[in-house]
Each structure stands twice: as structure tokens, then as C-alpha cells.
């Protein structure tokens, strides 16, 4: 399994986005190397990889039933601020369903009501508004995700980090519990898990 990490970056990316019903073992094996030199090599970019992660996060997080109006209501994936994904996120989720739900992308600006989102990606353009954005969705059961430095320490649920040229992620487990979101143990096994006090250090 460890040899997959040495495969070409584009193969790992395809592995992530094409296997609709993939198992967590595939997720672990892929790990999804972040290509700093992606633009030069023609391989998938950092944000194409992060888009693949966002899609797959939906398979390993459970929201309270009250978060949806009915059993077939879509998962609302909000992006606040400048959208760094281009068309990659739209392409990845096209035609996909998670537990019978489609995924709908919504783009927002600072000041919008974000409480209806199930996932909220906070763009780097909103760095100065992170505290206000997190406060606005604190009790709404929103899975907040960003790659802004210190996001998990500030009260975000998931933060993308680059370690050894790979995209990895940090999960603030205290925030998940406060948000009444269940994060699969399989996903947590791949994450760097922190708690609020620990993340603040």
C-alpha cells in the first residue's frame, strides 16, 4: 500500500476522484501528494487535490437529521470569498451522490447568511473575517474547512496543511463535537487530530 504514495501525482488524483464508492483504505493509500510544481508538470494542482478531499469528506462526516429538510435534500457546499477551485470541484461532484444526496455548490460573500451550509470552505481572501464567519455558524452544524494558517486553532473544524509536499488535514475534534457532527474514526485515523486548547498553542 505504501508504494502508491510514490506513484505519479496524476494517478493518485484520478484514484481519488474516479472511484465513487471508494473505501477508506484507498483514501489512506492515496494520501494525495500536493504538487507544488504541478503547473510545470501538467499534473493536477494543489486545489484540484483539495477539491477531491472536500468531496470525499462528505462520505465520512454525518450531520444531524435536523440539518436536512428531508431524506433527499442536497448537501450544500458553500465557498465564501474568492473561489480557488476553478471548475475542478464542479467537475468532481458532477453526477455524484452521497447517501442518496446530491451535492450543490454555493458561492458566498462576507455578510451572507451561511447557516444553511453543510460544508463551508473559507477562502484565504477571508482571512481577516475568520473569527466573525466561525461565530456566525458556531451553532448551525456546519463543517468548516480552510487552508488559512491557524484555522483549526481559531475554531475551524478542518484545516488543510502542506507537509512534506503533501496535502494533509487537521481536525479539531472539540469543534466537531460542538457542531454535533460525527467524523468517522476512519477519517480521524488519517488526520492530525487536535483539541481546542492544544490547537491554540
Amino acid at each position: 500500500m505504501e508504494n502508491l504514495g510514490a506513484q505519479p501525482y496524476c494517478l493518485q488524483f484520478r484514484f481519488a476522484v474516479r472511484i465513487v464508492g471508494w473505501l477508506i483504505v484507498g483514501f489512506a493509500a492515496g494520501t494525495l501528494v500536493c504538487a507544488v510544481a504541478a503547473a510545470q508538470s501538467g499534473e493536477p494542482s494543489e486545489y484540484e487535490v483539495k477539491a477531491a478531499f472536500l468531496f470525499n469528506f462528505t462520505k465520512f462526516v454525518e450531520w444531524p437529521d435536523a440539518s436536512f429538510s428531508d431524506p433527499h435534500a442536497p448537501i450544500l457546499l458553500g465557498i465564501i470569498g474568492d473561489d480557488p477551485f476553478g471548475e475542478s470541484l464542479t467537475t468532481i461532484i458532477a453526477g455524484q451522490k452521497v447517501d442518496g444526496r446530491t451535492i450543490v455548490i454555493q458561492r458566498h460573500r462576507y455578510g451572507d447568511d451561511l447557516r444553511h451550509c453543510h460544508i463551508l470552505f473559507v477562502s484565504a481572501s477571508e482571512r481577516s473575517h475568520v473569527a466573525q464567519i466561525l461565530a456566525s455558524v458556531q451553532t448551525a452544524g456546519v463543517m468548516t474547512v480552510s487552508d488559512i494558517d491557524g484555522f483549526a486553532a481559531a475554531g475551524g473544524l478542518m484545516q488543510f496543511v502542506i507537509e512534506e509536499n503533501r496535502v494533509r488535514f487537521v481536525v479539531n475534534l472539540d469543534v466537531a463535537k460542538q457542531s454535533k457532527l460525527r467524523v468517522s474514526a476512519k477519517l480521524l485515523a488519517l488526520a492530525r487530530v487536535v483539541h481546542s486548547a492544544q490547537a491554540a498553542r
Side-chain angles (χ1 to χ4, degrees):
M1 298 295 285
E2 60 272 15
N3 291 336
L4 189 59
Q7 288 186 0
Y9 181 67
C10 57
L11 294 182
Q12 295 176 350
F13 177 75
R14 290 169 186 163
F15 178 81
V17 299
R18 289 186 178 179
I19 302 177
V20 178
W22 71 337
L23 298 174
I24 192 69
V25 67
F27 193 11
T31 312
L32 300 179
V33 177
C34 165
V36 172
Q40 298 174 352
S41 65
E43 294 175 350
S45 71
E46 173 184 339
Y47 279 96
E48 287 175 320
V49 173
K50 289 177 179 178
F53 265 121
L54 274 181
F55 165 60
N56 284 288
F57 284 161
T58 64
K59 301 177 182 181
F60 300 104
V61 174
E62 291 182 25
W63 286 265
D65 291 341
S67 296
F68 298 96
S69 57
D70 63 70
H72 302 291
I75 297 170
L76 302 180
L77 196 167
I79 301 170
I80 182 168
D82 298 339
D83 183 351
F85 299 106
E87 293 300 314
S88 59
L89 188 56
T90 301
T91 301
I92 288 169
I93 69 170
Q96 304 292 349
K97 287 189 175 184
V98 178
D99 293 333
R101 302 182 191 277
T102 57
I103 303 173
V104 176
I105 299 172
Q106 298 180 330
R107 292 172 175 84
H108 297 280
R109 292 296 175 189
Y110 180 63
D112 290 354
D113 187 350
L114 306 168
R115 292 173 296 176
H116 62 284
C117 297
H118 298 102
I119 304 173
L120 180 65
F121 182 84
V122 182
S123 171
S125 66
E126 305 308 299
R127 188 182 308 273
S128 62
H129 301 137
V130 165
Q132 295 92 330
I133 291 168
L134 291 176
S136 74
V137 299
Q138 188 173 18
T139 60
V142 178
M143 185 180 82
T144 52
V145 185
S146 185
D147 51 12
I148 296 172
D149 290 343
F151 186 73
L157 200 158
M158 288 194 180
Q159 178 185 336
F160 287 122
V161 295
I162 306 298
E163 296 178 350
E164 298 180 352
N165 206 36
R166 296 172 184 265
V167 176
R168 301 188 188 276
F169 56 96
V170 177
V171 175
N172 188 323
L173 201 54
D174 291 340
V175 173
K177 290 177 179 177
Q178 291 165 8
S179 302
K180 298 181 180 179
L181 300 179
R182 277 189 184 176
V183 182
S184 165
K186 294 177 180 179
L187 186 61
L188 291 176
L190 303 176
R192 174 151 55 89
V193 177
V194 299
H195 297 273
S196 294
Q198 177 186 359
R201 288 202 295 265

